[in-house]
Amino acid sequence: MLQSDIPTHLISGIIVLHAEKVTALALEAFIVRLYREKNNNGFLKSFTDEPEHITSGLSPLRNIMKELQLRTVHIYPRFQEDVKGSLERRRADVVELMQPLTEAMSEIHHAIIQCMSTTLSELKRANTTLDLDDFNVDNAYFRSFDMVVRRQLDPVWHKVGPRTKQLVNDLGTLRRLLYYLLTYDPLHFHAYLETLIASNTTTASGNVKQHQSPWLLTDAAHIIFQVAKRRCYIVSAVSKVQVPQEVDTADDDDAWAVLDEIEGACPAIQNSRSKDGRPPWIPRGMEPTLEELPKWNLLAEVLQEAEEELLRQESSHKSITTPNVGSNTVLVMTSSTRTCSVLTDFLSTMDHDAPPGSKGRRMMLRKLRLYLSWKTKLAKQKHDGKSHVSFPNLSARDDDEIKKFSNESDNVSEALKKKDQEKANRVANRRRIRGGAPTTTQAGRDTGASKRAPQDSALGEIQTEAERFAEFWESQGGQTLVELSQELGDDIVLLDIESGAFANDFDAHYGLIAPEQTILVRAYSDDTDDRMLAEIQPKFIVMFEPNMEFIRRIEVYKSSHPGLAVRVYHMVYSNSCEEHKYLAGIRREKDAFERLIKERGSMLLPLFEVHRDRTSDAMIKTISTRMAGGRRELNTRPSQVIVDMREFRSTLPSLLHASNMLVIPATLTVGDYIITPEICVERKSLPDLISSFNSGRLYTQCELMSVHYKSPMLLIEFEEDKGFTLGVVSDIKSYAKPAGKYPLKKKQGAGADPDHTAMLQSKICLLTLSFPRVRIIWSSSPYATAEIFKDLKMNNPEPDPTQAIAVGADDDTDVGAGVNAAAEELLRCLPGITDKNVKHITSRISTVRELCDMTLVEVQELLGVEPGKACWEFIHTGENRNTVS
């Protein structure tokens, strides 16, 4: 639209989706302004289905209408008479299933809520000057709560202490714990808690963490850890693993064989199970409880009911001979892909004849075996001084992944082994420093000698338990995880492909599955869920977890398919955060619509100015008063700025256009913004500035600007809602690869991170010393940058786009025409001469001999200070040696 490649006046209209995201800095507002400049007759419509996002700030609905240049708004809430009457006529059969939590899950749930309340109270107490009225547990259930907290604290984030930052991170951790409690199986949830304890106690380098989470020190946290462990297994009073002694049991074996023959027992079961029926790979003193999630058993009952209903419908349709509408595929919707994989494992390994609460025993035993193997590997890694290994997320059929996990330590390269050995030696020889603690190399050494913190004792208990598991696995004669895979009764059948029976049974085992036998497990997504419902047309939909958006999609799906009988099973944990979050979401949606209706009734409609030709008021803006004798000269050219094409991903071009400047897009080799023929600006946000310093790209950019422009400028732009200070640099992560071949090694005993602010200030000082003509502009926000550009353009001529594109371009046919290719290749080999400046050099010199005859000052004027010095020293190094000799 800026370059008039699209005939804007011929566009019939524009439809904007997700109107709640439109702000003054959004790209949609920029496009609407360009559209209305040349087309006042086309229509413009905008839609949104998230009214909750239009409730924050002062007059949010009016601001959105102002940016989209709209004057009419239509609001269609769920409780409107027309919408309610249309959807009520074709309602789906909804079955609400309120599943209570188990006693252990209820204890953990209440303890997490208590920790969240304590953390919120500490956060309010530490920041009394901020408006934190919305900081409550009900709002903390939502994922947007983390963004609300950071938005409140971002302006003073560089001033708050490490304790406040830790509290903000703890709120996100506790919110995730509530979600993981209801979705993770007990073993994964317990493993996650153990990683939390380890990460909040020691750092990655093995030092003691200085700022630990306060909620870990509470009694509620102790309840969380103990009950989570009790959901998985119970450790009896046996404190150590007793290695079985070698005794002569020939007589006993004969006696047991006779008894098994009398009772008709299977020898295979005897070999794989112990006398009390427990698998032999479970350590002594451990009693596995393996509590299953209550919704798993409820899901099995729902699927059984759906299957019976499908069979009844099939029989009735055969007798009546009426067309069957819809498919027999059962759709199960979850909140994440991880939950999808867990449900898939449960349904594929479920024991239909088992009592409720133990249908997934086979899957849980497999996960317990993985957990014990993980703990054993952790103990070995800790003993060898290696880094921790993550808990495997494997399905019940990934035998290849199990082998890979159990044998992954054998495929470690020599470099990594050497690095792990250096880390182990560094941890073992670490001196005692302030805030640190001596490291013990023997398990159980000096236990009870000093009083430990709760999380320290919990970490010690975890390490001791892992060492006991490792001793037990070693006592089994080196039996690996893969060798034990058959002990759970995996259905592994060796197929005889050459036999005729395999060809006859191929379709039965490997053919297409009938729709009535298909269960589709899928995670909630975006608008693609509407297409999925229209394509599959399921009769039975199981919402494993509540979701307001998907409920609205089901209502539209049922209304658009009037002849389809749809039954929806809505599963919710009663008296849990899941139920509270669902009810709070309904209240927020209703309150948001009520606020929008109220704002529309009292809203002042925005007035839009008629877009005039830019040349009409050019006389007012471009009068030059610098002429002698007060004589004035008029310039009819509009105020314009040449912008690099890559800069349109930022918000500054939109603000420049809103400031009545003509924005000309171009592909620039030097600089990002050309304000005048002499002023070139390179814009850097704070993360981009750090990345450019680390990669060395900023040095080259300043060098090119200094060569081609009289007034090069570096613009450092901060974000509007954050502090205007370099103190926020410590919170910015840079993913740029360092320029050196090898990264710098950390010094031993270095506990704290370096001062990133001081390092950045030093680099900026070195940059100004290397390029004295480069001016640095500090801008607090994109709005301030637009005002700065206005001041810089005052009483200055307008830039030429053709010349700006030709500056530094390699494909310029005029620059370097008729140059010897061999001589140009020779110049490229000299230090300080790159592909960016070789065309400039060939336009300034006629031969390579002329470059060799230049003095140091002349070469520096041609190439720059540092590149010129490197090139001149390279050329004249041999002459200096001959003179000395």
Side-chain angles (χ1 to χ4, degrees), residues 731-745:
D731 298 324
I732 299 175
K733 294 182 179 180
S734 177
Y735 300 96
K737 188 176 180 180
K741 186 177 181 181
Y742 299 101
L744 297 177
K745 293 185 177 181

Side-chain angles (χ1 to χ4, degrees), residues 442-458:
Q442 298 178 1
R445 175 181 170 183
D446 295 338
T447 56
S450 60
K451 187 177 181 179
R452 297 181 179 179
Q455 71 273 16
D456 294 338
S457 60

Side-chain angles (χ1 to χ4, degrees), residues 797-826:
E798 301 299 331
D800 186 5
T802 306
Q803 295 181 0
I805 296 174
V807 169
D810 294 337
D811 54 350
D812 192 351
T813 57
D814 297 332
V815 178
V819 175
N820 187 357
E824 182 177 349
E825 187 65 25
L826 175 62

Side-chain angles (χ1 to χ4, degrees), residues 379-610:
K380 294 181 180 179
Q381 301 261 0
K382 182 69 176 178
H383 183 268
D384 298 339
K386 299 179 181 179
S387 58
H388 295 289
V389 61
S390 60
F391 188 78
N393 183 21
L394 306 176
S395 63
R397 293 160 292 181
D398 292 340
D399 293 332
D400 296 337
E401 294 294 332
I402 295 176
K403 294 178 181 179
K404 180 180 178 181
F405 173 73
S406 59
N407 298 326
E408 62 181 359
S409 60
D410 298 335
N411 299 326
V412 180
S413 63
E414 294 295 332
L416 291 179
K417 290 181 180 179
K418 183 179 179 181
K419 182 178 179 181
D420 292 336
Q421 184 64 30
E422 293 178 356
K423 184 177 180 181
N425 296 335
R426 184 168 63 252
V427 172
N429 299 329
R430 181 172 60 90
R431 294 184 178 181
R432 182 178 302 180
I433 59 176
R434 179 175 297 180
T439 304
T440 58
T441 57
Q442 298 178 1
R445 175 181 170 183
D446 295 338
T447 56
S450 60
K451 187 177 181 179
R452 297 181 179 179
Q455 71 273 16
D456 294 338
S457 60
L459 181 62
E461 182 180 352
I462 293 173
Q463 295 176 354
T464 304
E465 189 178 75
E467 292 173 356
R468 293 173 183 173
F469 291 158
E471 292 178 6
F472 174 80
W473 282 74
E474 291 178 358
S475 66
Q476 297 298 316
Q479 200 171 16
T480 61
L481 181 67
V482 181
E483 295 172 356
L484 294 171
S485 61
Q486 301 295 332
E487 296 184 4
L488 294 179
D490 294 342
D491 297 333
I492 300 177
V493 180
L494 298 179
L495 300 177
D496 187 5
I497 301 179
E498 299 179 356
S499 63
F502 176 76
N504 297 331
D505 298 339
F506 181 83
D507 292 335
H509 296 285
Y510 301 98
L512 296 177
I513 302 177
E516 58 269 12
Q517 300 177 359
T518 304
I519 299 175
L520 178 60
V521 185
R522 180 183 171 92
Y524 295 117
S525 183
D526 48 9
D527 296 337
T528 56
D529 288 342
D530 295 327
R531 296 195 297 268
M532 182 265 300
L533 289 173
E535 179 181 354
I536 299 176
Q537 295 187 4
K539 298 179 182 178
F540 295 90
I541 302 175
V542 181
M543 296 183 64
F544 191 76
E545 291 151 344
N547 186 276
M548 276 295 302
E549 295 181 1
F550 194 76
I551 291 176
R552 301 292 180 240
R553 300 183 194 279
I554 293 178
E555 289 180 340
V556 176
Y557 163 68
K558 181 62 179 69
S559 180
S560 59
H561 296 78
L564 180 62
V566 180
R567 179 180 296 181
V568 181
Y569 295 92
H570 191 255
M571 304 170 62
V572 182
Y573 281 116
S574 60
N575 297 326
S576 67
C577 66
E578 191 175 74
E579 182 184 9
H580 297 161
K581 180 180 178 181
Y582 173 66
L583 297 178
I586 296 177
R587 290 194 303 268
R588 291 178 62 180
E589 183 186 44
K590 182 180 179 181
D591 295 342
F593 273 116
E594 291 177 351
R595 289 190 59 180
L596 289 178
I597 294 173
K598 183 178 179 180
E599 183 181 352
R600 183 183 63 175
S602 60
M603 179 178 59
L604 298 176
L605 295 178
L607 298 178
F608 308 112
E609 60 180 5
V610 180

Side-chain angles (χ1 to χ4, degrees), residues 6 10 34 44 71 287 290 376 401 469 475 550-551 592 600 640 661 764 796 824 846 862:
I6 299 177
L10 298 180
L34 295 175
L44 179 65
R71 298 180 61 85
E287 295 297 333
L290 300 179
T376 303
E401 294 294 332
F469 291 158
S475 66
F550 194 76
I551 291 176
R600 183 183 63 175
Q640 61 185 20
M661 290 188 185
I764 294 176
N796 283 317
E824 182 177 349
S846 57
L862 180 64

